[in-house]
Amino acid sequence: MKREDSTILNKYGKDPGFKVPENYFDDFNKKMAAMLPDVEITPVDVKPTMWQRVRPLVYLAAMFAGVWCMMSVFTHLNGSSNLGVGAVAEKLQDDKNNVEEFLMSGSVSDYDILNYEDSVAMSNEEDLTND
C-alpha cells in the first residue's frame, strides 16, 4: 500500500490543481454588495388573526382535558374510590349494623379501608401518649 501511495505522489505530486486569484477574499464582501440590486424593505404590520391569538389557550385546555381523562381512566382501572379516609370513617361510625353492607357494596376500596385502619391506630397511639 505504501508503495502504491508513493508512486501516486510521484506521478501526480501534491498540487491540488485549484487556485484562487490573489486577494480574492479581501474584497469579496464589497464586490458582492456592489453586484446586488438596491432594494428597500418596508416593514409590514401584520395583525394576528383571532385563531392565532386563541390557539395557545385551546392547546392548553386540550392538554388539561387529556390529562384529566387519563387520570379518570387510570383511577377507574385501578379501582380506587373517591371517598377518602374521612368518608370511610363517617360511614363506619354512623351505623354499626350497616358496616358489612357498606363494605360489600363495592363503593370502598381496600386502600381506603387500610388508610382508615392506619388513621385509627395513629389516633389511638396519640391518645395514649397524651394521657
Side-chain angles (χ1 to χ4, degrees):
M1 184 79 175
K2 259 191 173 194
R3 179 189 249 185
E4 186 177 321
D5 287 342
S6 64
T7 57
I8 290 173
L9 285 176
N10 289 336
K11 186 175 181 180
Y12 296 107
K14 292 186 177 183
D15 185 28
F18 301 104
K19 293 185 181 179
V20 178
E22 292 294 324
N23 299 326
Y24 180 76
F25 289 107
D26 293 339
D27 298 328
F28 182 77
N29 291 341
K30 293 177 188 173
K31 290 178 186 176
M32 182 59 77
M35 292 167 55
L36 293 174
D38 291 333
V39 177
E40 289 187 30
I41 299 174
T42 58
V44 178
D45 292 332
V46 177
K47 292 184 179 181
T49 63
M50 182 66 149
W51 172 245
Q52 289 173 332
R53 284 186 273 146
V54 174
R55 184 172 39 192
L57 298 174
V58 171
Y59 290 164
L60 186 67
M63 181 192 66
F64 280 114
V67 169
W68 180 78
C69 286
M70 285 190 324
M71 294 304 291
S72 175
V73 167
F74 292 144
T75 303
H76 179 68
L77 291 176
N78 195 14
S80 299
S81 69
N82 294 329
L83 289 176
V85 176
V88 172
E90 183 181 313
K91 287 286 188 178
L92 290 176
Q93 290 176 355
D94 275 350
D95 189 6
K96 298 289 183 180
N97 297 330
N98 293 330
V99 171
E100 258 185 53
E101 183 179 321
F102 174 68
L103 293 176
M104 293 300 185
S105 69
S107 62
V108 176
S109 69
D110 294 337
Y111 179 77
D112 292 332
I113 295 170
L114 290 174
N115 277 343
Y116 171 73
E117 290 173 354
D118 289 343
S119 67
V120 169
M122 280 199 244
S123 67
N124 288 340
E125 288 174 10
E126 289 175 3
D127 291 342
L128 291 176
T129 57
N130 289 339
D131 290 339

